C-alpha cells in the first residue's frame, strides 16, 4: 500500500464516527470477513487509546471483522466494527518494496506523514462509544508471527502482535490479532469469441456483428473494436463499444449494429475484418483481465 494511501487511511480512521463504512483502498484486494478471529488490546492507566482498559472482540460476535491486504503483500488492514459508535482499525506496513514476512519483528514504526520509505508503519485508532481515539504521532513495533497469502495479497491467515506509543506517551498500548479467512475467491478468467457470420442491411449498409463472452464468475465486460471492409471504391469502417454483464455457466451473447463512419462508403455483403477486445475488472482483486486485441474474418450476408 503506497504511503499516500496509508495517509488517506489515517484520515478515514479519524472520520469513522460519521462514516463507519470504509471504502476499499487503492491497490488492495477487497476486504473479506474473517471466518474466525480475535482482536485484543490493552494499556495501563494514561495510555491514550485504551484509557487503561482491556478490550477483546471476536469475529462473528461483532458487526464486522474484516481483513484486507495490499496487492504486493506490503501492508494490511484489520477493521472491526463492534456496534454503532465503536469501531477499530489496525494498519501495518513493511518498509516500501518489502513484503510482510512471517517471523519478523518490525521495530521503529512511524505514522504518516512522519514515516519515510525505509520505515515500517503502524497505526491503531478507532472510535469508542462515539469518542474518537487516534494519534497525531505514534511509534512502536509489530511482529508478524504467522501470515499466509492468497492471490494479489489476499490474507488467508494472520497472527500478529503490536505495541504503539501514542502522542509521545511513555505508556504503550499492546495488542494482538488472529484471523483465519475463508478460501480466497477464484481469480477472474474470461474468454471472448466473435461470430464468423454477420448481417448487412442492403441498401442502407448497416451491419450487425457479435459473438459471446464466457467467465468463471460475474463480471461487467467492456467490449471495444473496429470493423472494416476493403472494397474497390473505398474502405467502410466503424468502431464500437458495448458492455455485457457476464455470468458463469454459459456463453453470454453480445452484438452491435454499425454503419460506416467513412464518408461516402457503406458495408456490402462479403468478407469484413473485425478487431475486438474484451476487458473486465476482477471484483475481488485489483486486476483487470484483458483478452488483448483479436482479429477475425466475418462473412456479412444480406439481411
Amino acid at each position: 500500500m503506497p504511503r499516500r494511501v496509508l495517509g488517506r487511511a489515517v484520515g478515514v480512521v479519524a472520520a469513522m464516527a460519521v462514516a463507519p463504512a470504509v471504502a476499499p483502498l487503492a491497490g488492495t484486494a477487497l476486504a473479506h470477513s474473517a471466518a474466525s478471529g480475535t482482536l485484543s488490546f490493552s494499556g495501563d492507566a494514561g495510555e491514550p487509546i485504551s484509557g487503561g482498559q482491556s478490550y477483546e472482540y471476536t469475529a462473528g460476535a461483532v458487526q464486522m471483522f474484516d481483513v484486507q491486504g495490499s496487492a504486493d503483500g506490503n501492508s494490511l488492514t484489520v477493521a472491526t466494527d463492534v456496534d454503532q459508535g465503536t469501531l477499530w482499525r489496525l494498519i501495518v506496513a513493511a518498509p516500501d518494496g518489502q513484503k510482510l514476512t512471517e517471523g519478523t519483528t518490525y521495530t521503529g514504526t512511524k505514522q504518516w506523514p512522519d514515516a519515510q520509505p525505509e520505515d515500517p508503519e503502524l497505526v491503531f485508532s478507532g472510535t469508542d462509544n462515539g469518542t474518537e481515539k487516534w494519534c497525531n504521532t505514534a511509534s512502536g513495533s509489530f511482529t508478524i508471527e504467522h501470515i499466509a497469502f492468497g492471490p494479489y495479497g489476499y490474507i488467508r491467515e494472520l497472527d500478529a502482535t503490536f505495541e504503539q506509543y501514542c502522542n509521545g506517551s511513555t505508556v504503550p498500548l499492546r495488542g494482538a490479532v488472529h484471523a483465519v479467512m475463508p478460501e480466497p475467491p477464484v481469480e477472474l478468467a474470461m474468454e471472448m469469441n466473435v461470430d464468423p457470420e454477420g448481417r448487412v442491411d442492403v441498401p442502407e449498409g448497416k451491419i450487425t456483428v457479435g459473438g459471446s463472452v464466457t467467465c468463471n464468475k460475474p463480471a461487467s465486460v467492456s467490449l471495444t473494436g473496429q470493423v472494416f471492409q476493403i472494397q474497390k471504391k473505398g474502405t467502410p469502417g466503424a468502431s464500437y463499444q458495448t458492455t455485457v454483464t457476464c455470468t458463469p455457466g454459459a456463453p453470454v451473447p453480445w452484438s452491435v449494429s454499425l454503419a460506416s463512419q467513412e464518408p461516402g462508403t457503406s458495408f456490402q455483403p462479403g468478407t469484413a475484418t473485425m478487431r475486438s477486445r474484451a476487458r473486465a475488472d476482477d471484483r475481488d482483486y485489483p486486476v483487470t483481465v484483458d483478452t488483448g486485441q483479436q482479429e477475425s474474418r466475418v462473412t456479412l450476408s444480406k439481411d
Side-chain angles (χ1 to χ4, degrees), residues 11 60 64-65 110 129 141 149 169 171 256 299:
M64 183 179 79
F65 195 117
K110 295 182 180 179
N129 290 321
S141 64
F149 291 101
S169 172
V171 181
V256 290
T299 300

Side-chain angles (χ1 to χ4, degrees), residues 12-283:
V12 169
V13 171
M16 286 191 300
V18 294
V22 178
L25 301 175
T28 65
L30 291 182
H32 289 271
S33 297
S36 63
T38 58
L39 171 68
S40 60
F41 60 94
S42 62
D44 293 335
E47 196 287 309
I49 299 295
S50 66
Q53 304 297 312
S54 297
Y55 299 78
E56 181 168 328
Y57 305 105
T58 302
V62 294
Q63 292 182 358
M64 183 179 79
F65 195 117
D66 286 359
V67 180
Q68 183 178 17
S70 63
D72 58 4
N74 172 257
S75 61
L76 62 85
T77 301
V78 178
T80 302
D81 287 10
V82 183
D83 52 36
Q84 186 67 34
T86 299
L87 50 159
W88 303 99
R89 299 293 185 267
L90 170 67
I91 302 172
V92 298
D96 279 5
Q98 297 182 25
K99 189 174 182 177
L100 291 169
T101 303
E102 182 172 312
T104 300
T105 296
Y106 297 87
T107 60
T109 63
K110 295 182 180 179
Q111 177 179 292
W112 181 91
D114 300 319
Q116 300 300 308
E118 65 272 14
D119 295 324
E121 293 195 41
L122 165 64
V123 179
F124 184 81
S125 301
T127 302
D128 189 12
N129 290 321
T131 301
E132 292 185 13
K133 301 289 188 73
W134 67 294
C135 309
N136 291 311
T137 61
S139 61
S141 64
F142 64 91
T143 299
I144 302 296
E145 298 176 345
H146 170 65
I147 193 167
F149 291 101
Y152 300 102
Y154 181 94
I155 307 296
R156 300 173 65 107
E157 299 174 355
L158 174 66
D159 296 294
T161 58
F162 58 95
E163 182 176 276
Q164 176 177 269
Y165 294 83
C166 181
N167 295 334
S169 172
T170 59
V171 181
L173 176 141
R174 294 186 175 93
V177 60
H178 308 280
V180 176
M181 306 300 293
E183 281 299 304
V186 297
E187 300 174 60
L188 176 62
M190 179 183 66
E191 292 184 0
M192 175 193 64
N193 293 302
V194 172
D195 290 337
E197 303 289 334
R199 305 293 294 177
V200 57
D201 184 359
V202 178
E204 286 80 3
K206 190 173 185 178
I207 63 172
T208 300
V209 294
S212 63
V213 291
T214 58
C215 52
N216 63 341
K217 64 180 182 181
S220 178
V221 181
S222 174
L223 297 150
T224 58
Q226 307 84 36
V227 184
F228 64 92
Q229 185 181 51
I230 299 175
Q231 301 173 356
K232 291 182 178 180
K233 295 184 179 181
T235 304
S239 299
Y240 69 88
Q241 180 173 358
T242 189
T243 301
V244 174
T245 300
C246 187
T247 54
V252 178
W254 61 273
S255 66
V256 290
S257 295
L258 308 166
S260 177
Q261 296 166 340
E262 296 296 326
T265 67
S266 61
F267 290 102
Q268 300 294 327
T271 300
T273 299
M274 188 168 176
R275 293 173 178 161
S276 305
R277 185 174 200 153
R279 292 166 56 96
D281 292 333
D282 192 318
R283 66 179 187 174

